[in-house]
Amino acid sequence: MAEFTVDGLDGLIASLREVAEMPEEVQDEILNAQADALIPEIQKRGHGYGVDDTGKMLRSIKKGKVRMRKGYRYIVVAPRGTRKRGNSRTTNAAIGFFNNYGARGIPARPFWTDAVELSARTVEKAGMEPFDRYLQSKDL
């Protein structure tokens, strides 16, 4: 009969447990770093598509606070505020939505979805810096 032995498994389990029990402050720092890296990418892509003549909607893109739902932490990055258009007020989020997905008479210019796809590595890299600092502080 074959015999299987492993040395050092206790250390690996302890290291994985420390990573799994990462403090919320570190998680928040990772999310904030990723949001900070994503916003300029969306704005740059929006300028490239010619989305916003005045630049008001692109400048209004901000990150929200860290929130928690169903055990997951997240940050919403979205255009904030409203603008007066004619006799009504329109949210910058609606303007961004219609620019990204189009509508009847408005061609789609997918600046937002393209920016999210194309900047995935940049956002991941931004999140790795706080994570690496956390691992180094725990000597992992």
Side-chain angles (χ1 to χ4, degrees), residues 65-81:
K65 296 179 183 177
V66 175
R67 300 191 184 267
M68 188 164 179
R69 175 182 264 171
K70 296 182 182 178
Y72 294 99
R73 302 180 78 72
Y74 66 95
I75 290 181
V76 174
V77 174
R80 309 288 180 187

Side-chain angles (χ1 to χ4, degrees), residues 1-112:
M1 180 179 282
E3 191 173 309
F4 182 72
T5 60
V6 177
D7 292 329
L9 190 59
D10 295 333
L12 176 63
I13 291 171
S15 296
L16 291 175
R17 187 173 292 128
E18 284 188 31
V19 170
E21 296 171 353
M22 184 184 318
E24 291 179 351
E25 295 82 29
V26 176
Q27 294 174 20
D28 293 351
E29 189 178 347
I30 291 169
L31 288 172
N32 280 307
Q34 289 177 330
D36 290 338
L38 180 61
I39 291 169
E41 295 292 328
I42 293 170
Q43 291 171 336
K44 182 172 62 173
R45 181 80 36 199
H47 285 298
Y49 272 94
V51 166
D52 200 6
D53 294 338
T54 62
K56 288 181 183 178
M57 190 274 300
L58 292 175
R59 283 193 309 270
S60 75
I61 297 172
K62 307 261 189 280
K63 67 180 178 180
K65 296 179 183 177
V66 175
R67 300 191 184 267
M68 188 164 179
R69 175 182 264 171
K70 296 182 182 178
Y72 294 99
R73 302 180 78 72
Y74 66 95
I75 290 181
V76 174
V77 174
R80 309 288 180 187
T82 60
R83 292 198 295 199
K84 186 168 178 140
R85 299 190 111 187
N87 293 330
S88 63
R89 297 196 72 72
T90 305
T91 63
N92 283 322
I95 294 168
F97 179 87
F98 288 124
N99 272 300
N100 191 61
Y101 294 105
R104 193 175 307 150
I106 301 173
R109 295 178 278 188
F111 74 102
W112 195 286

